[in-house]
Amino acid sequence: MLLTLLFIFLSLGIVGLIVIPSNKKLLMRQYALFITSVVFVFSLLLWLGFDQSTPKFQYVVNWLWLPIANINLVLGIDGISLFFVILTTLIFPLCLLASWSFDKGDIKTYLISFLSMELVLLLVFTNLDLLFFYIFFEAVLIPMFLVIGIYGSRQRKIRAAYMFFLYTLFGSLFMLIGVIYIYLFAGSTNYESLATVNFSNYDQKWLWLAFFASFAAKVPMLPVHIWLPEAHVEAPTAGSVILAGILLKLGSYGFLRFSLGLFPEASVYFTPFVFSLSLLGVVYTSLTAIRQTDLKRLIAYTSVAHMNLVMIGLFTGTVIGVEAAILQSLSHGFVSSALFLIIGILYDRWHSRVVKYYGGLTHTMPIFIIIFLFFTMANLGLPGTSSFIGEFLLLVSAFEANTTACFFAATSMILGGGYSLWLFNRIAYGNVKLVGFDLSLREFILFLPLVLGTLFMGIYPNIFFSVMHAAVSNLVWADLWM
Amino acid sequence: MKFALIFQNDTVAFLPELFLAISILVVLLHGSFLGVTAASLHSYLTPSMVRLTSGTLFLSLLLVINNPVESQTLWNAIFIADYLSTWAKFIIFIGLLFCVSVSESYMFSARFRAYEFFVFILGIALSLCLLISSYDLLSIYLSMEFLSLIFYVLAAWKKNSYFSAEAGLKYFILGSVASIFFLFGSSLIYFSLGTTNLASLALLTENLSVSSAFIYFGLVCIVSALLFKLGAAPYHMWIADVYEGAPTLVSLIFALVPKVAFFVVVLRIAFTSFWSLFPTLWEDFFCICGLLSLFIGCLCGLGETKIKRILAFSSVGHVGFLCLGLASGSIEGIQAVLFYLVFYMLTAAFLWVYVLHLDLTSNSSLLTFADAIGLVRSNPFLGFGVVLMIFSLAGIPPFGGFFAKLNIFIGLVDSSFFIVAIFAVLTSVISAFYYIRLIKIFYFEKNNNWFFFAPLTKGASIVLVLSGLIIIFFMLSPNLFYLLSYKVGLGLFF
């Protein structure tokens, strides 16, 4: 019921936004912020009413869409998807707040794109039907494509938008064929029904590969990660935040929910493959990140490294590993969003993203630098921040599963220290190259929930883990891996 | 008296066609009487013809829906009335009504004051109705020729344009060759089986164990001719030139209406008469045609800079998908084809009406991409709708085009055509590239010239709203349509 209310509220909010005349820009911004904030409160209520003792799906909504062909829209939340939902609803009001002074082109289309993106993303994370998961997974492309293409900063944005669109489309059409095969094999696409279906080993491998093609482009795994730096760099700040904070989680969520949940044997079979690709991704993108000269591009490459680390956690097949992967996803959602917002603040003031352009900001913008320092530390996994919990537990479980993998994964901590600290060093210290205002109140408020969230997750992670336990234990059959 | 008794039911089931045939004569008389006075040409002739034509089409639509006969052959089994014919006629009448309702403003601005156009539209309606309900190779041929003659004239209709003359001539020569193939193929089948009636053919080929090469060759000729009319791949040469050269209003009719009727004929021949040849002949044939069409549709569209040509190549690609739906050879395949036809017609109606609008407002008649730049700024709502429709054509969920493609894929995977499905996936990614290039033109590029807000005409906006609403309705609740297409498909099997 609560979930239905949430979706109805958000949909009506989008309709309301269409009605507001397009010259009342402030009213539109306030309205959109109000809608997204109320949705955030709704999602917190979902957490409050969540029963953490059961792995079953809660707040289930069932809409008979095509009952003759047994394709129905089923929504529900369990311990895995709850935090992805909350992450989504938290990031969106922050994005709208961050783009408060963004005034380039048509604001109405911009806000409608963001609200519809939130709607579709929430539908993806709560979806329990394979076909509808695919539909909404793809539908996210449309508003994001428009946001990058219309509101991007440079002429290269068109190339970026193309790459973003076509890479994801290409991967996910294979998933579509997989979904159709499953539908014809099992006669249903309902997740809960499919969990009881035993696919043969041979089928599982092919289906796993079809799903892998789609999710790997979203995570992104190594050979298909090219779209990510392009898209992140060319998108407007709020778009980059959504891309890094939420869209990348679609990949890991998909792996967790569908690849591990439906094809456990194939997941075990392909674990070495995933490990190798992820380790290559971690080391390679960390090294690439060190030598970037564009701020956004640098952060984009660190995102790839962190998400590949998450992949290792998912495929260790232990409860600790999977839970740590989820927590690391959330933490990455907070930290990389914050880093993109930080770059957005620099870009707002000086309209440049070149690292060399900046220097000595600690003298002129102390509050900004404190926040930047905090998130730099969070990015490299300082104890006390959320990333530490995530990375530490990831490495623990990786050590249990595969010591060599653990060794290479651990290099990410060192390399992460390298690029994060060096970046911070170049921007914060040295001669004063620029003079500008420190954070305004709006910008400070923007960072506050992210700082608090990161600290909270780092100091008392058990409140998050306790919600996940039941669902993750139900998902992971550790004996398959051992 | 005796005549009345024998053909009583036939006359009842044949009422729409009879009504259309009589009304063609009436409309022709009306037009020629009005047309003699030069003063009436400007302000009176076109509106009155539009009203008369749309009224006639609407009344025939009602007659079609009101058909009392459930399933029966007519006039010594030359024609048939069944679910498929009823619903296909319904669809083409809707399509023709769309065409008529956008024609008035076009006729005015293009300075065409010929009433013959509306007579031709009614002629198209009649010939398509005959084609849809044909149940004999000969009647198929005759009604196909009836239709083609009108189309040749319409393609060459813009007398002062070289493009139009080229389109008309190309269409005429290539179309005649296709007709010859059809005739040759049916004579081969008549030679080997001794009948041209589809039901008798079905009975004869039901238990056909050793089939002669004549039958295969004849069938290939027949279906090739039909696929030529549809613009499927090895026979697609005319389509881009004709769509580009013909007046935009005529291209709109070409794109919207005849596909349904020709697919009905292909369905009847492949699924009713020669269903026994399914695994051997049809699968290979339709797969090859479908894959070639997809390939041509996605590759040739990449380099195009003219909107009409791009729509032509996209139609080749979509016909490819339809052929793949036929190749699966199951009831799901038929259902997918019917689903796809309706969605494609509605989406194409939306886009072609937009092209018509562009044709009326832009200066050049070539309609390159440069004319379309800045659509979103000059007319945001129309731009938004067009972008959604293009996403739908590209098959991006959650729009109608995705569900249409999904059904085709379900049919393919159900028949274990995995490689074919993967190939179709690859081509749809490539074609997505040029679809989103269109969106780039509409949304991302800045126009340097002045532009003006050009409101849509009333008829065009009605068409846009109707097609958009029907698509949204089917997206939200596809049950009705799903069941209907299943029922229609079931009626096809002999």
Side-chain angles (χ1 to χ4, degrees), chain A residues 228-261:
Chain A
L228 184 133
E230 294 282 340
H232 280 61
V233 170
E234 301 307 328
T237 306
S240 311
V241 173
I242 302 285
L243 271 170
I246 306 167
L247 280 195
L248 299 192
K249 275 64 188 179
L250 286 183
S252 55
Y253 176 77
F255 270 118
L256 181 57
R257 176 73 80 202
F258 297 107
S259 297
L260 291 181

Side-chain angles (χ1 to χ4, degrees), chain B residues 97-283:
Chain B
L97 277 172
F98 282 181
C99 298
V100 174
S101 66
V102 293
S103 64
E104 187 172 346
S105 58
Y106 185 82
M107 301 292 273
F108 271 113
S109 73
R111 297 197 185 80
F112 284 123
R113 288 177 191 112
Y115 63 88
E116 288 91 343
F117 176 78
F118 297 100
V119 180
F120 283 147
I121 285 202
L122 288 179
I124 292 172
L126 176 60
S127 57
L128 284 175
C129 280
L130 291 175
L131 189 60
I132 285 168
S133 46
S134 293
Y135 210 49
D136 191 289
L137 289 176
L138 211 58
S139 60
I140 292 173
Y141 175 73
L142 288 175
S143 34
M144 203 167 80
E145 281 305 281
F146 183 11
L147 179 68
S148 303
L149 270 178
I150 298 175
F151 275 1
Y152 303 147
V153 177
L154 282 181
W157 183 41
K158 213 177 189 175
K159 276 174 286 190
N160 51 359
S161 153
Y162 288 118
F163 281 110
S164 182
E166 183 202 349
L169 202 61
K170 264 189 186 162
Y171 196 22
F172 175 63
I173 292 171
L174 293 174
S176 324
V177 174
S179 304
I180 291 166
F181 268 95
F182 188 92
L183 212 51
F184 181 57
S186 12
S187 68
L188 281 181
I189 285 178
Y190 182 65
F191 166 70
S192 45
L193 291 171
T195 177
T196 52
N197 184 277
L198 296 191
S200 318
L201 287 173
L203 286 176
L204 281 172
T205 55
E206 199 173 12
N207 297 316
L208 205 63
S209 53
V210 188
S211 59
S212 69
F214 287 117
I215 298 181
Y216 279 5
F217 189 58
L219 277 178
V220 168
C221 284
I222 285 180
V223 180
S224 300
L226 292 170
L227 288 182
F228 169 86
K229 302 283 180 190
L230 286 166
Y235 325 107
H236 68 282
M237 286 78 74
W238 58 279
I239 193 162
D241 289 332
V242 170
Y243 275 33
E244 187 198 357
T248 313
L249 184 57
V250 177
S251 313
L252 177 113
I253 299 175
F254 286 176
L256 247 61
V257 194
K259 283 208 175 58
V260 181
F262 281 111
F263 262 103
V264 168
V265 175
V266 174
L267 280 174
R268 282 197 201 285
I269 289 179
F271 283 79
T272 306
S273 305
F274 293 96
W275 196 71
S276 54
L277 300 181
F278 224 93
T280 48
L281 173 69
W282 294 128
E283 278 189 0

Side-chain angles (χ1 to χ4, degrees), chain A residues 64-69, chain B residues 474 477-484:
Chain A
L64 297 179
W65 184 71
L66 189 51
I68 311 152
Chain B
F474 283 138
S477 166
N479 274 307
L480 172 73
F481 193 55
Y482 198 85
L483 273 181
L484 195 63

Side-chain angles (χ1 to χ4, degrees), chain A residues 51 175 291 376 386 406:
Chain A
D51 178 6
M175 178 173 145
R291 58 175 293 277
T376 306
S386 55
C406 176

